[in-house]
C-alpha cells in the first residue's frame, strides 16, 4: 500500500469551471509578473491550514512566481492585493 501524506489527502482538485474563471479574469497571465502564462494556482491560505478551493483563496501564477511566493513568504494581504489589482486592470482593458 502506498504511503499518502495527510496533506495530500486534504488536497481537492479545482473544479474546471473555477479554473477557467480564474484564467479568464487574468486573461491567462500570471497575477504577479503579468507576463508569463498561468501554470499553477496558489492557495493564499494553505490547504494544510484549512484553506479551501474557493475563488477568494486562489491566485493564478506562473511556475516561477509560484516558487517565489513559497520561497519568500509573500503575505496573504499582498497576494490579495496583487490578484485584485490585476483583475481590475484586466476588466478596464476589456471594457
Amino acid at each position: 500500500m502506498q504511503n499518502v501524506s495527510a496533506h495530500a489527502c486534504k488536497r481537492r482538485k479545482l473544479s474546471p469551471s473555477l479554473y477557467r474563471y480564474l484564467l479568464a479574469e487574468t486573461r491567462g497571465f500570471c497575477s504577479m509578473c503579468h507576463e508569463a502564462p498561468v501554470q499553477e494556482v496558489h492557495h493564499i491560505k494553505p490547504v494544510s491550514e484549512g484553506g479551501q478551493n474557493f475563488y477568494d483563496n486562489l491566485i493564478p501564477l506562473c511556475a516561477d512566481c509560484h516558487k517565489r511566493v513559497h520561497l519568500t513568504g509573500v503575505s496573504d494581504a499582498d497576494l490579495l492585493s496583487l490578484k485584485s489589482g490585476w483583475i481590475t486592470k484586466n476588466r478596464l482593458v476589456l471594457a
Side-chain angles (χ1 to χ4, degrees):
M1 180 174 199
Q2 187 177 5
N3 184 10
V4 179
S5 71
H7 178 71
C9 292
K10 290 182 186 179
R11 178 120 358 212
R12 299 273 189 255
K13 188 174 181 178
L14 282 183
S15 74
S17 60
L18 178 56
Y19 184 74
R20 284 191 304 271
Y21 186 76
L22 288 165
L23 286 181
E25 282 211 319
T26 61
R27 295 185 302 135
F29 290 97
C30 176
S31 296
M32 282 186 73
C33 70
H34 308 163
E35 295 175 3
V38 169
Q39 297 166 312
E40 302 171 1
V41 176
H42 175 73
H43 288 84
I44 296 168
K45 180 179 182 180
V47 173
S48 62
E49 296 174 15
Q52 302 276 330
N53 284 345
F54 297 143
Y55 171 82
D56 291 340
N57 191 45
L58 302 170
I59 182 169
L61 301 171
C62 69
D64 288 339
C65 287
H66 194 192
K67 184 184 293 184
R68 189 175 305 121
V69 165
H70 283 282
L71 292 175
T72 62
V74 178
S75 74
D76 294 357
D78 286 344
L79 289 171
L80 289 169
S81 178
L82 285 166
K83 178 181 176 181
S84 175
W86 184 230
I87 290 169
T88 300
K89 180 178 178 178
N90 285 324
R91 286 183 182 154
L92 292 173
V93 167
L94 296 174

